[in-house]
Amino acid sequence: GEPILSLRGLNYVYSPGTAYEKQAMKDVNLDIWQGEFIGIIGHTGSGKSTLIQHLDGLIRATGGELYFDGENIYKEGYSMKALRQQVGLVFQYPEHQLFEADVLSDVCFGPKNQGLSEEECKKRAKEALEMVGFPESLYNASPFDLSGGQKRRAAIAGVLAMRPKVLVLDEPTAGLDPKGRDDILDQIALLQKTTHMTVILVSHSMEDVAKYVDRIIVMNHGEKIFDDTPKQVFRHYKRLEEVGLAAPEVTYLMHELRESGVPVSTDITLVEEA
Ligand code: ADP
């Protein structure tokens, strides 16, 4: 069928015509289908955040088109508000946006803003908290009393409570310890698997992403340089090292995958393609 998101020749220039002019997106073409679990990776400054901010209309391309569910979001009269409900964006350190007195009220904030009844808001909030594995015993706790991982789960639930079709997470593991990082990624993978929601995971770490996603988009200087299964992308390990995605990391990951018997990794060959 039709992709849920389609980027056609997308360009983005920050501060055009000034000394600070910076082209952060260069002719990016990308199709994403409903139910896919996608990783967007690239070194710092490669354009990942710029790309995902286009997906819910937060920033408008300076060139090219973007289609959501077959509709051009830049056409006249298109509702960006409706788009933002369908494409839920979880920013880096989302816990900085927790501000209500208790967790449940915080997660209810989005649905409440949509004008839903108190009862419906609570229902959606509980459903969302369950999806992220947030303990029920803490629903009435103050967000400020939670651990780092719990805060992050609550913040992700706040976006899920809007029941988006697409969930976009910008570096969801930033600042977490290794255990917290694995827990949150496992939870996201589980939620993706059980709901078949389209999930886009942004990271600068190949290690974080490759183990979980079906498809990896590699960004470099605003360009999409690879778009394939983790297995196929790993074949370009020399190029990955050139673009700041450390080869030792990739090699280690492949080794780890092989050792743990993950089927996808068993026939990865370390052969650089021309
Ligand atoms: P990433 O998310 O991969 O770290 P970004 O999308 O944040 O990359 O940045 C892409 C490029 O755009 C970088 O060169 C960055 O310095 C530049 N950039 C990002 N935000 C702005 C801004 N508000 N004004 C000017 N340049 C920016």
Side-chain angles (χ1 to χ4, degrees), residues 72-117:
N72 187 338
I73 72 161
Y74 300 139
K75 77 177 181 198
E76 220 182 297
Y78 188 87
S79 166
M80 289 296 173
K81 193 169 173 241
L83 179 68
R84 265 164 224 160
Q85 284 175 17
Q86 310 251 39
V87 181
L89 196 55
V90 181
F91 291 99
Q92 279 181 45
Y93 297 98
E95 57 272 27
H96 294 164
Q97 281 149 40
L98 297 169
F99 54 86
E100 296 278 345
D102 61 275
V103 171
L104 200 59
S105 306
D106 222 303
V107 179
C108 280
F109 184 80
K112 218 170 180 174
N113 245 359
Q114 286 178 271
L116 298 168
S117 73

Side-chain angles (χ1 to χ4, degrees), residues 14 22 24 43-50:
Y14 284 107
K22 171 82 202 174
H43 63 85
T44 304
S46 59
K48 305 180 298 295
S49 297
T50 304

Side-chain angles (χ1 to χ4, degrees), residues 159-172:
V159 171
L160 287 171
M162 309 279 281
R163 293 192 178 161
K165 278 193 177 163
V166 180
L167 178 68
V168 187
L169 301 136
D170 193 358
E171 301 273 6

Side-chain angles (χ1 to χ4, degrees), residues 7-12 25-30 61-65:
L7 281 57
R8 300 268 71 97
L10 218 69
N11 279 281
Y12 189 78
M25 297 257 82
K26 287 179 203 154
D27 294 322
V28 174
N29 291 303
L30 174 62
T62 50
E65 304 295 346

